[in-house]
């Protein structure tokens, strides 16, 4: 009975360790994707500055003004997706 309980606890520890490793890999991949999105955003700002000027100077009552609010509330990956969708940017 003691052996069975030890192996159950060992099994649970192993599962937790595997879950932790899986989570750390996901975080690492997310950071890589986030960095890549940041690089893409920088590239877009350099090559298509008129889009960013339009966002910054938009009146709050316009669709672009609402877009600016959403744009500022998301991370780099979300920003890249919003820009591609709203301004139909192909990269």
């Amino acid at each position: 009975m003691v052996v069975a309980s030890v192996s159950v606890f060992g099994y649970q520890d192993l599962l937790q360790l595997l879950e932790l490793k899986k989570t750390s890999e996901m975080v690492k991949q997310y950071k890589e994707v986030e960095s890549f999105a940041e690089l893409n955003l920088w590239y877009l700002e350099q090559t298509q500055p008129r889009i960013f000027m339009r966002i910054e100077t938009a009146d709050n009552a316009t669709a672009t003004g609402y877009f600016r609010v959403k744009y500022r509330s998301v991370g780099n990956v979300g920003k890249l997706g919003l820009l591609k969708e709203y301004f139909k940017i192909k990269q």
Side-chain angles (χ1 to χ4, degrees):
M1 192 122 143
V2 172
V3 173
S5 64
V6 168
S7 64
V8 167
F9 285 122
Y11 180 71
Q12 288 176 344
D13 289 342
L14 182 60
L15 285 177
Q16 287 177 343
L17 183 62
L18 288 172
E19 185 63 33
L20 184 61
K21 181 168 176 28
K22 181 180 169 186
T23 303
S24 68
E25 287 297 318
M26 289 172 60
V27 167
K28 183 180 173 187
Q29 288 176 358
Y30 176 76
K31 286 182 180 178
E32 289 171 0
V33 168
E34 186 75 9
S35 297
F36 185 66
E38 185 177 353
L39 180 62
N40 281 334
L41 286 171
W42 178 86
Y43 174 78
L44 287 174
E45 287 175 0
Q46 304 310 308
T47 59
Q48 301 185 36
R50 70 187 184 289
I51 289 174
F52 295 91
M53 189 64 98
R54 181 174 162 196
I55 293 169
E56 289 304 314
T57 58
D59 189 323
N60 286 343
T62 64
T64 309
Y66 286 118
F67 173 86
R68 183 180 64 241
V69 171
K70 278 198 287 188
Y71 183 81
R72 288 182 177 164
S73 68
V74 297
N76 291 332
V77 176
K79 286 178 182 178
L80 195 56
L82 285 171
L83 285 168
K84 285 181 176 184
E85 180 182 330
Y86 190 79
F87 292 100
K88 307 204 181 352
I89 295 173
K90 293 186 170 61
Q91 226 179 339

